[in-house]
Amino acid sequence: MHIFTQTAPLQYHLRTLKNDGKAIGFVPTMGALHAGHLSLINNAKQECDIVVCSIYVNPTQFNNSSDLVKYPRTLDKDKYMLQEAACDVVFIPENSAVYPSPVQLKLDFGYLETLMEGRFRPGHFNGVGIVVSKLFHMVMPDVAYFGQKDLQQFAIIRQMVSDLSFNLRLVCCPTSREADGLAMSSRNMRLSPAQREAAPALYQTLQQARHWALHMEVPEVKTAVEQKLAHMPALKLEYFEIVDSITLQPLEKINPQKQTSLCIAAYIDDIRLIDNVFLLD
Ligand code: AMP
């Protein structure tokens, strides 16, 4: 496994491989790796000749500075996990390699910024869009892999790839879960035992809401979810939405012919968790 911290040697290494006709798969991460990240690596391994994983905690996508400070960092373990997963290249840039000068460009994702993550994390998607486009330019992958866990992130990256004509294919991989249904997340490491016990309620609520959505009107489902979470003092609901899985437009009515997603965000104390499921498998 080759590890790079600077862009020029990374690009030199990848250019040689590309010239040999190798297909490059890319998995951008913020580290504190878990089995969800490894599922993306495995997907990339199956489809590409060379798999590149980046580990970079991007400061510009944190709208909350204490979340950035508290973000878990487990670099030695991450490298070991990537080695075991037979990842070919790891890129661990310093801030100065990613942001040699302050970025003036602002990305505007239109209505996608007005709902769910966009609404509650102002500036977050601008930071994500900037860093992912920088990483795409540095790695120049043929295929890039993202998780369905961050459904809205995938939607904005798809928009950006289309609008800016990036020459790559995007793949959205299913959410990896713990045995009790909790979506794997680097932030789960911060949960105390009591918080960890409360956390699966998020997924359980989504499962119940899925069932409700097949029998009830959308506003009724939303009220039922709010009431359910109001009875769980450990969880503070931020939003619950039923949306078109592609456009992410909130739906007023369920149409079983349309691919529909149920999305939720909640706090357990100061730890923010998100999750989503498709209405139908
Ligand atoms: P992060 O390190 O949290 O920025 O995530 C890096 C990539 O891993 C993103 O594309 C995430 O959507 C994806 N990811 C995070 N958690 C999961 C999960 N539980 N299952 C599948 N993919 C995930």
Side-chain angles (χ1 to χ4, degrees):
M1 188 169 81
H2 297 267
I3 300 179
F4 296 94
T5 57
Q6 300 295 326
T7 310
L10 169 83
Q11 288 188 316
Y12 181 80
H13 180 79
L14 293 179
R15 200 171 300 127
T16 312
L17 292 164
K18 273 185 161 265
N19 287 344
D20 285 348
K22 306 282 188 209
I24 311 284
F26 179 41
V27 179
T29 80
M30 296 206 297
L33 300 183
H34 50 66
H37 296 113
L38 296 187
S39 77
L40 272 53
I41 301 279
N42 287 335
N43 271 283
K45 291 261 353 150
Q46 279 165 28
E47 295 181 350
C48 302
D49 302 308
I50 298 292
V51 176
V52 181
C53 176
S54 63
I55 298 178
Y56 179 60
V57 182
N58 174 37
T60 67
Q61 71 188 68
F62 284 80
N63 53 310
N64 175 335
S65 55
S66 86
D67 194 25
L68 170 61
V69 172
K70 289 180 185 165
Y71 199 83
R73 289 159 171 89
T74 58
L75 197 51
D76 288 340
K77 183 166 167 238
D78 293 350
K79 286 186 211 164
Y80 176 77
M81 287 169 76
L82 290 172
Q83 174 93 50
E84 290 292 294
C87 181
D88 301 288
V89 174
V90 187
F91 183 41
I92 312 173
E94 299 276 325
N95 280 334
S96 57
V98 182
Y99 296 105
S101 56
V103 176
Q104 304 299 330
L105 181 70
K106 290 268 179 287
L107 298 178
D108 181 346
F109 294 99
Y111 77 91
L112 280 173
E113 298 207 28
T114 65
L115 63 140
M116 301 199 292
E117 296 302 288
R119 174 165 169 225
F120 288 98
R121 302 187 70 188
H124 170 65
F125 285 137
N126 179 60
V128 171
I130 296 281
V131 80
V132 171
S133 55
K134 279 172 175 275
L135 290 167
F136 282 172
H137 285 304
M138 291 167 181
V139 175
M140 288 191 290
D142 297 286
V143 194
Y145 297 81
F146 294 87
Q148 187 203 320
K149 154 118 187 329
D150 299 283
L151 185 70
Q152 196 170 3
Q153 171 172 281
F154 190 74
I156 68 120
I157 289 168
R158 186 175 41 212
Q159 184 75 55
M160 188 181 80
V161 163
S162 161
D163 287 358
L164 298 180
S165 305
F166 278 99
N167 185 20
L168 54 85
R169 182 165 67 84
L170 292 174
V171 174
C172 189
C173 303
T175 303
S176 301
R177 298 183 179 280
E178 304 289 355
D180 57 12
L182 176 65
M184 290 181 181
S185 163
S186 305
R187 288 187 173 84
N188 294 353
M189 288 178 198
R190 293 185 49 212
L191 297 169
S192 69
Q195 291 169 332
R196 175 64 187 81
E197 212 170 294
L202 220 59
Y203 179 63
Q204 288 156 9
T205 304
L206 284 177
Q207 291 292 56
Q208 193 155 21
R210 254 174 130 187
H211 176 74
W212 286 332
L214 295 174
H215 303 98
M216 287 157 52
E217 295 297 321
V218 168
E220 289 169 357
V221 179
K222 291 177 90 166
T223 307
V225 165
E226 283 162 17
Q227 282 173 353
K228 185 175 161 72
L229 287 194
H231 287 102
M232 297 180 187
L235 285 166
K236 189 165 162 284
L237 179 66
E238 190 166 63
Y239 66 74
F240 167 76
E241 293 289 351
I242 301 180
V243 300
D244 179 300
S245 304
I246 306 297
T247 66
L248 298 194
Q249 288 280 10
L251 300 174
E252 317 242 300
K253 274 207 158 316
I254 302 286
N255 175 355
Q257 311 302 330
K258 242 188 187 170
Q259 219 187 21
T260 300
S261 291
L262 286 69
C263 304
I264 197 163
Y267 278 93
I268 300 186
D269 293 323
D270 66 333
I271 304 168
R272 186 172 183 278
L273 300 177
I274 61 171
D275 200 353
N276 68 83
V277 293
F278 290 131
L279 176 62
L280 304 172
D281 288 322

